[in-house]
Structure formats: structure tokens, C-alpha cells
Amino acid sequence: MTTSRPPHIGVALEGAGWHPAAWREPSSRPADLFTAAYWIDLVRTAERAGLDYVSIEDSLALQSERFLTGDERTDEVRGRLDAVLIASRVAPAVSRIGLLPVVTVTHTEPFHVSKAIATLDYVSEGRAGVQVKVSVRADEAAHVGRRPHPGDVALDDPAFRAFVDEAFDEAADVVEVVRRLWDSWEDDAEIRDAATDRFLDADKVHRIDFEGRFFSVRGPSITPRPPQGQPVVAALAHAEGPYRLAARSADVVFVTPADAAHSRSIVDAVRDAERAVERQGEPLLIVADLLVFLDEPGGESGADRLARLDALGRPLVSDARIVAGSASTVADVIDDLVAAGYAGVRLRPGVATDDLPRIADDLVPELRHRGLVQSAPHTTLRGRLGLPEGLPSRYATPVA
Amino acid sequence: MSTRKQIILAAYVGGVNEHTAWEHPDAGSQIDFSTFRHVAQTAERGRFDYFFLAEGLALRARDGRIFDHDIAGRPDTLPVLAAIAAVTEHLGLVGTLNATFNEPYELARQIASLDHLSGGRAGWNVVTSFDAYTGANFRRGGFLAHADRYVRAEETVATVRELWDSWADDAIAADKESGVFLRDGRAGEFSHHGSQFDIEGRFTVPRSPQGRPVIVQAGVSPQGRDFAASTADAIFSPYSKLAEGKAFRDDIRERAARFGRDPEHVKILPSAGFVLGDSRADAEEKARHILEQQLSDRTIQVTFEQVWNRDLSAYDLDGPVPDIDPDPEAPAFIQGRAFIFQDRFQTVRTWRELAEQKGLTLRGLAHEVARAPGYIGTPEQVADQLDTFVQEGGADGVVLGSHVVPSGLDEFVDRVVPLLQERGSLRTEYEGTTLRENLGLPLPEAALAAAL
Ligand SMILES: Cc1cc2nc3c(=O)[nH]c(=O)nc-3n(C[C@H](O)[C@H](O)[C@H](O)COP(=O)(O)O)c2cc1C
């Protein structure tokens, strides 16, 4: 029995799907992966299902079977488009669903990241978010050439660990700057007062004067405060360091519980991280990632499909729990996660063009049947996720 | 069959400047997507070649205080162009992106992504930054000396092109049967070791519909001209009068030939405004009114302070031109604004002479030297002026801005475009599907990567 609110359901889009052989399925459209039409079709399907958001994967290097460097495989999808631009291209084609592109914050400029997501919020009329990603890859560092990387070393090498810790600390500073820039214009900064020849009230546009260990940024932003004020910030996390980054910086944390016991221990670890960093305001929304292969009603089972795809090349290896089964099986797992304190789940379709339609046609009806779907009519992403809306800029002086 | 030169048209949304009259009763939001959608769809209805966005990476300031007297606030260039791609079909999408405060890998993947997502309509207006003030918003901080900015800009563009060329046209097999997705396991491989960038690896974006998105350049110094002549497909120029336009065009064509390029492949498009009336007198009256609105006291002051690089608030606008010299050494007094005058001292000398000759006050001088609102007259007269300018070699077309955003362009498209089409100087349908094809530019060599 649970008294929790119905979970938020989102979907994580990754190329042809999360299985490396997904592109070979009959439904797949591997030749269309780099077209707008492909992404619009997927996001419309997710919107039709009533899902709260889609996230769009990205990285500053090609997909690889290795953790730190590239590979030379030719039998899997390689190549991707910029996720912020995919989200922006899709935004006017849908009207309710939230859009969370992945953005690497390690090699990019916080000023650019801030205005890009603010602009996504404008073009989607308040449905923008961002999943911040820290890059510790050697190939990505070499693509930008601005910082030294310890190289292709063992993951427990002390030099590498120090490098990772720095990258996470820096990412927290990036998010701080991004958020301050979003607030750097108060909501009513634009006054258009012809009588005094003032377009702006300059007192309502603020420098942020951020000085950190890694960089400094003056501000204000060139883009006015976005419609949501603060678009939603999310991060994927698997360990204590990343939980702390999320606790310091994010609204939503995507985590990867393997089973029931693990799912409870992760919730505890995230709450501990919140206490450790003395998080203020709303607690993190903890969202479990599940990689799903749904049974085809009257056809192939999810498990058979997974086995068949595994046999085609490289078996699927995943940080997230793999659930292959019927809509009812997946709904059971979601039920348990909600009971364990999760605010929602993010589904990673094993095969985008098979599993996403099944999420829409089978899973969501099943969840609705169980009372596990919200009928929230909110049009902003913050609203859909139950986050406070209409927050004033941190720089606004409260009216007495 | 028409042998007339086809006028290239771009629609400009500058975002911030005194040319856009925010006080106008029809002035809309500068930031809502509906504004961009309206201008872009209007431009497409008028068979324009492209939609053009300017960029500034710091809010403008006067002696450290944010400008409050004219429009401020603009979207990020690429996301708004990607969204416009969703509401248009043929219109090119050209964004201004700074070469100093971006890294080539990121620029290359973003612009190539826009090219894919728009079906081959992307262009990049390469600008360099103007001051340290902008640098304070970025990790790299500071700024580069004028000459170094072009060194970096040239290497940025060259590197971006290497990345664009790093995937063969046919790199993706996507053959489900055989399981071959990539024909070559090293697709996208690059290695660039220059004075500005020391980078290598593999590029993430397969060859885009245009192969190489269109490169536009803005900047008029000798380095800027060489850069444009050697590299750009189009130039956004400030020269909109026939004589100066021709001189600039001759200069660029000569430089292009020196770089071994076909001068026809460097299109020149000055910025231009327009004012339409039912008679010439009516249009001129409107133009005068617009200019008066644009030149508020503070706009005038800021314009002169930019050249003098000093606080001029003690000078009466209705008095004489200040007799002090500009201060070339001080940090920029007006910050975050492109300084396009070549030489402060020369500019002041010329202006002083002009004021003396005509007996002008500071205000009078401002009206004299302000950018006139552009093409003024009845629709027939404006069509004629613009057509003549292009047919006589002043430029290849214009980048049209309107003083009322978003609805100002409607009048041009409704009243002037049909006249240009009747004359055979403007297309009635798009020729191709990509920006390159519509501009009449050659397609880049196919599969250059494979040849290397
Ligand atoms: C017509 C024109 C338009 C320009 N537009 C922009 C712009 O939108 N954003 C920007 O950062 N710089 C802009 N610039 C500035 C140039 O990129 C360059 O920094 C400046 O002109 C100095 O270079 P130069 O001495 O070669 O002219 C523009 C320059 C010109 C001439």
C-alpha cells in the first residue's frame, strides 16, 4: 500500500534505442537518425502517451563500448546531433511534453549553456530542462584540447580519481552560474517606459560576479529570464560524488537501482547527500531509470527480443536495470519503486521505434488502470513535476 | 527569360539597437518565439534567401552601467534558429556566432546539427569579439588583440571545415541485413595542430546536407576583408550606397581572385532598412519621424561617446561639436557594441568639418550621420532603388531590417516583393532545397574526406 503521489514518467531517447543492435530491428529507421522527422515522430509518440518529459542523450564524442576512449566498431550506431538543437527543433512541433537535452558541462561555457536552455524554454513556452553531464573521457578532452587528461588509465588510478573529483566540483560551479544567469534579469526588468526613454529598468538586471576556483563569469545574461524562471536541472548519478552534485545543483536525480534492496539504499544515500551538502528548498525528485523491452501483445516477448538482439553483436550491458516483460510486469516494478520513495521512473526504450509505441499503447493504459498516472494538465515542465512555479529571481528585492 | 541579376534577400532581426523602435505601438516582444516565427514566415512568404540573427555576448553598457534606453535581451542564436526550422520550409537560417568565445569542435557540431535538422539550410556569420568586457562572461576571460582575433577566427573556420569534411558523404551504410552501420570504423577522424588549436579525435556529426554550411562574415578592416575574401560565401557589409558599395565589392572581388577564388562565389549583402509611403513625400515624412524616434538624446550621446571613447554628458546636444580629441587609450567607454569606425581621429575630423560646413549642432550632426532609414519611397520607388543598386553592382542583395518588430517586414513582402518579382529580379519559387543552392553557390566537393 502506498499513499505516495502518482509517479512522473519520462522517457530517455538515445539514437535507435538503448540496445546497441536496436538499429537493426525491422521497425528501426537507422537512415533517419539524423533527420528532424525521426525525432519529431518519437517525441510526438511520447507526448501522445501523456508522458511528462523526454530526455535526449548527447556527448562530445562518438558512442563507444569503452568508458574513456573511442572504438572502431562499425556494427553499431555511431554519430549524433547536438541534443539542445534537437530539442529546440522539436519544441514547436509538440505542446505539452517537457524537453530535457543532455548537456556536457565540462568542456562548454556556462554562459552559453545558460542562454541555450533559457532559449529552449522560450521556444517551448516553459517546457525546458537540462540533464547536466560531467565528462571524464579522454577523447572528449582531446576534442577540445583545453585541459590535460590523465589518459587511458585504470579507473582507480589516484590521478584519475582526482581528475574526476575536480570535474564534479567544477560542474557544480557551472550549474551555479547557469542558475544565477537565469535569475540575472528579474521578471519585470523590461519596462518599455517611453516617457522616460527606458526600455529596461537597469536596477532589475544584475551582474552575477561569480568567482570560483575554475572560472569567473560576470553576467548578466543576454537572454531575459526564461518563462519558467528556473528551467529544470537534472543529473544522472551512480555514486556518492554524483549524488552530491545532484544534491547541490539539481531538481531531479536519475538513479539506477538494480533491485528492491538497492532501490532503498539509493534513496537513503541521496537523502544523506542532501544533508551532507545542506541542501535548501525542495528535496530532490529521485527518479529510477529502467531499460525496457516490452512484450509485443500476441507476438514476440520482450525477453526473446532482447536475447535475439544480444545475439546480433554485443550483448546489452547497462547501468540501469533491464526489465523485459509485459506492461503489467513493468507496472509492478514501477509500483515497487513508488513504494520505496521514488518520485518517478524514466524509461529507456531498448528499441525506440518498438518500445516507445508500446509504452504509449500498453504501459500507460496499464498504469492509468492502477491509478499510477497523473492527469496533471500543467503546461510547464516544473508544473508537471510538481516543482514550485513562479519563483522570483534570487536578485529580486521582496516587496514589503 | 530574364537575364536580370537575382536579388538576394535576407531578413535581419538585430535584436538590440536603436533602429528597432520599441516605442512604436505595433512593437512586439523581442524575445518570445512568436516574434521570430512571424518574421521568418513573412520572409519565407517573400521568398527571401535567409533569416539572419545578430549576436552580442554581453549586455551593452555605458561606463559600466547597463544601457536602459534601447532594446536589450535576445535569445541564443542556434536554438532559436532550430525552432524556426520547425515553422519554415525553405528559408535559410544564418546565425551570428563568435569565433573568440567558442571552440571549433562545439561550433562545428552545432552548426552541422542545425544543417541536418533544417534539411540543409544552415549558415554561420563569423564574428570576432570587440572587447575585454565580453570576455568577462567566459571561462577563457580577457580578449584578444584585434590582429589575433582574426588569427583565431581564421583557424576556427578552417578547423570547423576540417571537422565538417571528416565524414565521407557515404559513411553511413545503415544496412540492417549485413549489420554494417558505418562503412569505415574511423569515420570522423581528424587531427588539427595549429597555433590556436591542438585537437584530435573523431567528430560526432555525419556529413550534413550542405556538406559545408554557408559561411558569412562581417568585419571591414583589411584583415577582415582578407578573411572574407579567402573564406566566406557571403559578406554582411555596412556599405549600402552605390559608390561605396561598388568600391567595396571591387575590393573584395580583387582580393578573392588573389586567393584563387571565383569572385562570383562571394556574395555581398549590406544591411538596409526601408520606409514605404503612398507618395515620396509621405515616405520621407515617415522616415523623418522614425529617425527622430531613433535618435533620442541618449542614443545621440552614446553614439558620439562610442567614437570619442569619453564621457560626453557635459556637452550640450544643442551646442557645438566637442573640441576635445578622442581617447584611444582608455578602456572602452561604451561596451558590448561593435565598433565599426576604422579610425576615431579621422571620424571626428570628418564630422567636425561637416558640422562647420553646415553649421550643425551635435544633435544636427547626429541626424546628418545617422544611418538613414534606407530605401524610402512608394513601393515602386523602393523596388526601383533596390533593383538599381543590385543591377549596377552595389551588392548582390541586401539584409533587410525593419524598424518595427515583428510586423514591419509584412509591408515589404506585401507591397515591394511582388514588384521585384514582376521585374524578374526576384524568384517566385525557391530553386533548390538548400541555402547554398538558393544563393547560387557551388556545392562543396563531395566526399572530400575520402580524398584526403
Ligand atoms: C555589418 C557588421 C555587422 C556585425 N555584426 C556583428 C554581430 O552581430 N555580432 C558581433 O559580435 N559582431 C558583429 N560585428 C563585428 C565584427 O565581427 C568585428 O568584430 C568588428 O567589425 C571588428 O572587425 P573589423 O575591424 O574587421 O571590422 C559586425 C560588423 C559589421 C561590419
Side-chain angles (χ1 to χ4, degrees), chain B residues 12 52-57 74 96 98 125-130 146 149-150 217-225 236-238 271 338-340 342:
Chain B
Y12 175 70
F52 183 55
L53 273 186
E55 181 190 63
L57 294 174
R74 45 171 134 211
T96 299
N98 192 292
N125 177 38
V126 186
V127 294
T128 59
S129 80
F130 12 90
H146 187 271
R149 282 182 254 155
Y150 277 109
Q217 187 270 1
V220 294
S221 62
Q223 293 106 304
R225 290 175 185 220
F236 181 33
S237 100
S271 58
F339 184 78
I340 57 167
Q342 291 284 296

Side-chain angles (χ1 to χ4, degrees), chain B residues 16 73 80 137 156 161 214 318-319 353 433:
Chain B
V16 298
V80 81
N137 283 334
T156 300
R161 283 196 168 141
V214 169
D318 297 308
E353 280 164 21
T433 60

Side-chain angles (χ1 to χ4, degrees), chain B residues 52-70:
Chain B
F52 183 55
L53 273 186
E55 181 190 63
L57 294 174
L59 286 189
R60 303 185 299 174
R62 175 186 179 277
D63 196 19
R65 169 110 178 142
I66 302 287
F67 275 19
D68 58 7
H69 65 282
D70 60 29

Side-chain angles (χ1 to χ4, degrees), chain A residues 58 108 115 170 199 219, chain B residues 68 76 109 137 139 176 298:
Chain A
D58 201 2
T108 49
K115 64 186 166 56
E170 185 179 334
F199 179 84
Chain B
D68 58 7
D76 193 22
R109 82 187 289 271
N137 283 334
R139 284 178 192 261
K176 292 181 188 179
R298 275 186 304 165

Side-chain angles (χ1 to χ4, degrees), chain B residues 2 107 115 180 198-199 216 223 244 295 330 334 338 381 433 444:
Chain B
S2 153
L107 279 175
D115 206 39
V180 174
D198 189 9
I199 60 175
V216 183
Q223 293 106 304
E244 59 178 25
L295 294 180
I334 300 298
Q381 288 164 340
T433 60

Side-chain angles (χ1 to χ4, degrees), chain B residues 28 51 88 101 104 121 125 137 140 152 163 181 184 209-210 235 255 259 265 300-301 320 365 368:
Chain B
F51 177 93
T88 53
F101 299 109
R121 299 190 271 144
N125 177 38
N137 283 334
R140 70 184 350 264
R152 183 174 160 108
L163 293 166
F181 185 83
D184 172 5
Q210 292 184 109
I235 300 178
R255 288 175 199 256
F259 286 107
H265 295 160
I300 294 174
Q301 191 188 328
L365 178 64
E368 191 73 21

